[in-house]
Structure formats: structure tokens, C-alpha cells
Amino acid sequence: MLILGADGTTVFESYEGPQTEFMELTIREAMIGGAAGPGKSMALLTVGIPQWAEEDRRWREGEIRRSAGAALYLRRTVPELDESLVRAEELFPLLDPGVDYERQAKLFTFSCGYRFKFDGIEHEKDKYKFRSKQFTFILPDELTSFTRSQYDYICTRLRSTDPVLQKTLYIRASSTPEGEGLDWVRRRFVDPAPEGRTVLRDWVTMGDGERVPRDRIFIPSTLADNKNEVYRRQYEAELQDKPPHIRDALLYGNWNVVANAYYAHAWIPRIHVVDLDEMF
């Protein structure tokens, strides 16, 4: 995906492969995950830009007086946002020189009214500070650092009264296979289709009896997907001499390796997991 600045120059171009696949998805819920270093956080920061761009077009052409669009970028704690905020401060003015940044609130407001908010959910009760809020893009970074209840609650804030925005309400997450939420994230996104790139569908039953699909997908990525060869090799060298559970999780994106797990370093799902339906 190519993103142009206000002056028509390229400000970001996604890597061919998982990063581009993730950014071009049009289903409700998706996670890009696996190894550290393939550009997951940058993909997460920029994946909502097409939504802003459409709102900016609508505003400039007089279709709307002010955008009701709003993106929410989350980390478990506020200090963990620092790197993404630095990137946003560099990138967003290139897209819209008129963008306003409220540093204390960690809120960017674009000329058309579209808002991009950065925040944290450190404690379980902190999820309730988003009560009565509505967002059109929700972006949890390092999803395994969140609890399942935090994720479920924040996803209830995905809504809009704007008929155009209602068609592009998305949840996009990124994560490496480590953290207190590893188990629930793996069961939700990875275990049903370990190789990824498979649409997983749940159904919800409405009050009137209609069944509505809820789709999600996992896009696996590894350090090898980063096209910056110098960065890739330096980071690989840093990870290769680490304990197996750290190396396999962060270098190879292994979701089944945790510290002190018996034989975890030797666990290969495609070999050690048997599909019973194929046996009988």
C-alpha cells in the first residue's frame, strides 16, 4: 500500500507480503502477529489512513461539514505509546499540514475533523473510561498484553451513526507471542488456523432472529518479512543467542513456546497436532 503526503510525495509504502496483506483487508477484525521486527506497529499506525483519506475527501467536496471518524490506538500502558507517538508526529503533518496535536491528551485532529487518539488501559477498570465513546477504527498494539475482558469491552466502542463510516468499522491488532494474554489471543486468532490467512467466522443472533456474521483473520509475519536487510540481520543476530522460548517467539513467531513449558522448544503444530476428523 502506497500512502502519499499532501504534496503528492510518498510518505510510506508497505512491505510486500504480510504488511500489505494486513493493510488491504476489508473484514471486521484482524491481527498481524508473530515475530518481532517485520513492521507490525507501523502497519497498525497507517492501516486506518485510507479511512481518514475518504473522510478528508468527503469534507473537501462538501459532502460532510465535519467527520465523525475516530481511530483509537492502544497500548497496555501510556509510556509504551512513546515510539508510535513520535512516528505519528512525523507522519500526520505530512498527510495534513493543518492537523492539530493536543500533546497532553495524545489526540490528533485532522482538518476534516477526523480524530486519532492514543491511550492506554493499564488497569482492568481503565477500560471503562471509554464508556459512551465511539470509534470507527480500534487499534490495539501488542494484543497479548491486554486481558480478554479489556479487548471485548473496547470492541463494543466500534460504532458510528454515519452510513458511510458504518461500512468501514474495523478492529486491527498486532502482537508478538508473549505476555499475559498469550493464551486467549492464540485461541482466538491462531489455533483455529495456525498457518493464518483463513477467514474465521462466528455468528451472532440478533433480537429479531437474524444471524449476522462476525469475521476475523490472522496474518502471520516474521522478521524475514522486513525488507530492510541491515536491520533484519542486526536484529536476528540479537535474537539468535537468546533462550529458546524467547528466540522462537520473537524470531520465528512461535505461538506455542513459553518459558518452562516442557518440550516447548520442540513443539511444531503441523507435526504434533492431529486432526481427528482426518483420522476417522
Side-chain angles (χ1 to χ4, degrees), residues 175-208:
S175 197
T176 48
E178 58 179 348
E180 67 173 286
L182 172 64
D183 186 57
W184 78 260
V185 172
R186 182 179 59 218
R187 284 188 281 110
R188 178 163 185 78
F189 287 98
V190 182
D191 285 350
E195 301 301 318
R197 297 179 174 84
T198 299
V199 175
L200 307 170
R201 172 164 291 184
D202 294 326
W203 293 89
V204 296
T205 303
M206 307 291 285
D208 61 4

Side-chain angles (χ1 to χ4, degrees), residues 82-255:
D82 286 350
E83 186 174 345
S84 294
L85 280 168
V86 169
R87 290 174 174 171
E89 287 185 74
E90 295 172 349
L91 175 65
F92 290 172
L94 298 177
L95 302 174
D96 177 7
V99 66
D100 177 68
Y101 179 40
E102 298 175 51
R103 190 174 301 273
Q104 186 170 355
K106 296 177 176 56
L107 173 66
F108 292 83
T109 303
F110 290 85
S111 298
C112 64
Y114 190 94
R115 292 165 292 124
F116 201 113
K117 169 73 171 172
F118 291 80
D119 214 331
I121 314 180
E122 182 171 0
H123 305 292
E124 189 65 28
K125 65 180 180 180
D126 289 346
K127 62 191 178 187
Y128 296 118
K129 65 184 174 183
F130 300 105
R131 185 183 287 124
S132 300
K133 304 291 186 181
Q134 61 181 28
F135 299 98
T136 53
F137 235 109
I138 296 176
L139 305 157
D141 195 358
E142 292 299 346
L143 188 58
T144 52
S145 66
F146 296 89
T147 66
R148 176 64 188 267
S149 64
Q150 287 173 329
Y151 182 70
D152 285 345
Y153 186 83
I154 202 64
C155 288
T156 68
R157 305 298 92 199
L158 188 71
R159 54 184 180 163
S160 179
T161 57
D162 185 301
V164 173
L165 286 168
Q166 286 172 354
K167 299 175 182 178
T168 58
L169 298 176
Y170 297 133
I171 302 161
R172 296 291 182 265
S174 73
S175 197
T176 48
E178 58 179 348
E180 67 173 286
L182 172 64
D183 186 57
W184 78 260
V185 172
R186 182 179 59 218
R187 284 188 281 110
R188 178 163 185 78
F189 287 98
V190 182
D191 285 350
E195 301 301 318
R197 297 179 174 84
T198 299
V199 175
L200 307 170
R201 172 164 291 184
D202 294 326
W203 293 89
V204 296
T205 303
M206 307 291 285
D208 61 4
E210 180 185 3
R211 298 182 73 230
V212 177
R214 280 290 182 264
D215 292 343
R216 65 187 186 279
I217 194 169
F218 164 55
I219 303 296
S221 61
T222 69
L223 180 59
D225 297 312
N226 192 311
K227 307 308 180 187
N228 185 326
E229 184 177 0
V230 174
Y231 171 88
R232 188 176 66 244
R233 290 184 63 80
Q234 287 177 339
Y235 199 19
E236 179 180 352
E238 185 65 33
L239 295 173
Q240 283 287 11
D241 65 349
K242 298 301 183 287
H245 69 280
I246 296 177
R247 182 195 64 225
D248 288 2
L250 298 185
L251 181 56
Y252 302 119
N254 189 330
W255 287 85

Side-chain angles (χ1 to χ4, degrees), residues 32-105:
I32 183 171
K40 300 187 302 300
S41 292
M42 194 61 188
L44 202 66
L45 183 65
T46 53
V47 70
I49 287 177
Q51 187 182 77
W52 159 76
E54 174 61 13
E55 289 298 281
D56 187 66
R57 183 201 64 77
R58 294 173 71 199
W59 173 68
R60 293 183 184 281
E61 295 182 4
E63 296 178 17
I64 55 174
R65 294 183 61 185
R66 188 171 179 81
S67 173
L72 177 63
Y73 190 106
L74 292 168
R75 289 296 299 260
R76 183 63 186 264
T77 67
V78 170
E80 293 174 300
L81 291 166
D82 286 350
E83 186 174 345
S84 294
L85 280 168
V86 169
R87 290 174 174 171
E89 287 185 74
E90 295 172 349
L91 175 65
F92 290 172
L94 298 177
L95 302 174
D96 177 7
V99 66
D100 177 68
Y101 179 40
E102 298 175 51
R103 190 174 301 273
Q104 186 170 355

